Amino acid sequence: MIAAVFGGFNRARIPAPMTGYVAMGSNLGNRAAHLRAGLDGLVDEGVRLVEVSSVWETEPVGMPGAPPFWNMVVEIETERTARELLDLLLSIEKT
């Protein structure tokens, strides 16, 4: 009966949240501000932050003389496809 009210409503068309893990890092300028801007960018675009790791300082690999990185990992939930998420991450990285 409910399907008739919604015109053949198919639950399979509702996107289910996808769990993902995003590695973030910065080694230039105000590293903390860059990481915070990355997190804010995800939230501003409707991505749910499930867990946020501690920040770790790591030495760059294959980049002699480069300053150390601050790295972290974020567990997220989103209804975006993997490609849409990648496009969003690349857009955030550019800003």
Side-chain angles (χ1 to χ4, degrees):
M1 181 64 162
I2 293 174
V5 172
F6 289 102
F9 177 76
N10 182 348
R11 185 169 177 78
R13 288 187 232 157
I14 298 173
M18 173 187 76
T19 298
Y21 299 88
V22 178
M24 302 172 68
S26 176
N27 75 327
L28 300 175
N30 186 336
R31 298 174 293 179
H34 292 307
L35 292 175
R36 179 82 244 171
L39 293 173
D40 290 344
L42 289 170
V43 170
D44 290 348
E45 292 297 325
V47 175
R48 181 173 171 258
L49 305 182
V50 177
E51 292 285 339
V52 178
S53 76
S54 300
V55 175
W56 294 82
E57 185 170 81
T58 60
E59 292 299 318
V61 175
M63 302 170 66
F69 279 85
W70 277 14
N71 298 105
M72 63 190 301
V73 176
V74 182
E75 180 182 359
I76 63 165
E77 282 186 355
T78 182
E79 293 181 358
R80 288 178 165 77
T81 65
R83 183 64 210 194
E84 291 168 341
L85 179 59
L86 175 60
D87 290 342
L88 172 62
L89 294 170
L90 292 173
S91 172
I92 291 170
E93 185 178 32
K94 287 180 185 178
T95 58

